[in-house]
Amino acid sequence: MAQQQQQMKHALQQCIDAQKDDLHSLSRDIWSNPELAGNETQAHDRLVRFFSRDKTWTVDSHYKLPTAFRAVWDPVGGLERGLNVGFLCEYDALPGIGHACGHNLIAEVGAAAALGLKAALENQSELLQPVKITVLGTPAEEAIGGKIDLIKAGAFTDMDLVFMAHPAQQDAPFLPGVALDEVIVKYYGKASHASAYPWEGVNALDAAVLAYNNLSALRQQLKPEWRLHGIIKHGGEKPNIIPAYTELEYYLRTPLVKDLFDLKAKAEACFRAAAVATGCQVEIIYPYNSYYNILPIATLANLYKNNGEALGIQFPEQPNNFSGSTDFGNVSYVVPGIHPFFYICTDALNHTEEYAVAAGAEKAQLYTLRTAKALAMTAVDVVCSPDLLRKVREDFSQAKRKQGKHLEGTLATFQDPAYCKTDQNQVTTCFYIVTDYLIPISCLASGRATPFTPAADALTTPLTTILL
């Protein structure tokens, strides 16, 4: 089997090298036409055309979301249940600075790794079970959280493993990311002439400024890893008019979902206090999905590191913390996966104009395709070894169990399951929505083949069996 795996890894590397020009062209086209979250029509169409060239891929455009897609390679045509290995592509850009987070390279890595794994699997008759490859185009990572909408739409229900990689300043097999909520705060006052009769007005700008200062004062009481940062999006119309309406936008970030509950409560107290002090009305809105921290799958991270080092990737000492957020975190609660970071030959920081330039540069290609090879090689290791697959699943269960312990005492009322799936052992996992956080709670009830109802089961089930 070891010799077979080496042959498969060699085949996938040759495949990716043979298609490097097409892959670079794909990435460059996406980079040259930056599109914001939810509006990635050209990137969607370009990726659909890319996979549609090979008729062995079944391609679904506009898959569950207007700018999402799915491409599936299934050598047995669904006649036999095997492993479904997923690769994710992102392709949305940032306002004003284009692909300054390198999502064009994420799309290229996902496409290249999928092509490589396909080449490795073709004509392999000695695998213990058939393997299907699914490429999922996941829009709107920079806002909205497209992967979360795809989770709720059932796009991940039959996946067994999922892979993607993100460009950064250095190579890292794993960084946890942080949970994120975006909040919009609107203050409503009363307009009046600011000089002639200001006493007739209710100043919404005062409320916004007080809220901003409240949060600034709150920072000294926050844990070192917690983050809150925001802007005043609308501060009024003219200096001689008491502002009747103002609007703030804030991001709240914490390492764990449990902490996000606490930070949200503290921030909301600051927002409401500003309204009380000024006599304004306040509206607090969470417009998009909450993002979760990425669960660690140590087996996959170690395999990726070993494969990367075999390709010449150097992994420096990892940072103690990482304050970025991604909707892949939510995916990691649903399917075991990996989200490594990779260097692209620049010291520029993400979300800068300099990084946007680097993401489109030819010198980034060596590092991008090398990362794709390492991802595909990691997939080969797992699909060829039932023991490794078992370890990955054990890591996944343990990571969810640990997160579940963090949430003890924070669970609220259950609604109907967002969706359920039953694995090969007839264990049904039901993903529940808890309060307004859209947190997927998986209730693992061994031996049950049917979802249990909140009223009959979830509320009487010990917390030790309720796993995030």
Side-chain angles (χ1 to χ4, degrees), residues 105-120:
L105 300 178
I106 297 177
E108 182 180 3
V109 166
L115 296 182
L117 182 60
K118 174 178 175 289

Side-chain angles (χ1 to χ4, degrees), residues 327-349:
D327 55 0
F328 184 87
N330 301 61
V331 176
S332 75
Y333 283 78
V334 179
V335 184
I338 189 173
H339 181 282
F341 291 82
F342 64 98
Y343 175 69
I344 63 168
C345 198
T346 182
D347 293 327
L349 301 176

Side-chain angles (χ1 to χ4, degrees), residues 283-299:
E283 183 180 8
I284 300 174
I285 303 168
Y286 293 86
Y288 303 126
N289 297 302
S290 300
Y291 287 23
Y292 306 127
N293 52 293
I294 302 174
L295 294 185
I297 307 295
T299 300

Side-chain angles (χ1 to χ4, degrees), residues 222-305:
L222 299 182
K223 295 179 180 180
E225 301 83 7
W226 293 15
R227 297 287 185 272
L228 54 84
H229 41 95
I231 60 171
I232 298 177
K233 293 184 68 176
H234 185 80
E237 302 298 338
K238 291 187 66 177
N240 62 346
I241 303 173
I242 297 290
Y245 171 78
T246 55
E247 181 177 327
L248 299 92
E249 180 178 2
Y250 265 83
Y251 284 2
L252 313 177
R253 303 181 197 254
T254 59
L256 299 174
V257 175
K258 171 186 176 296
D259 295 334
L260 196 58
F261 281 74
D262 295 338
L263 182 55
K264 177 182 176 181
K266 293 176 184 292
E268 287 188 7
C270 290
F271 296 138
R272 298 187 192 283
V276 171
T278 57
C280 290
Q281 300 297 313
V282 62
E283 183 180 8
I284 300 174
I285 303 168
Y286 293 86
Y288 303 126
N289 297 302
S290 300
Y291 287 23
Y292 306 127
N293 52 293
I294 302 174
L295 294 185
I297 307 295
T299 300
L300 287 178
N302 291 333
L303 289 171
Y304 176 82
K305 185 173 185 290

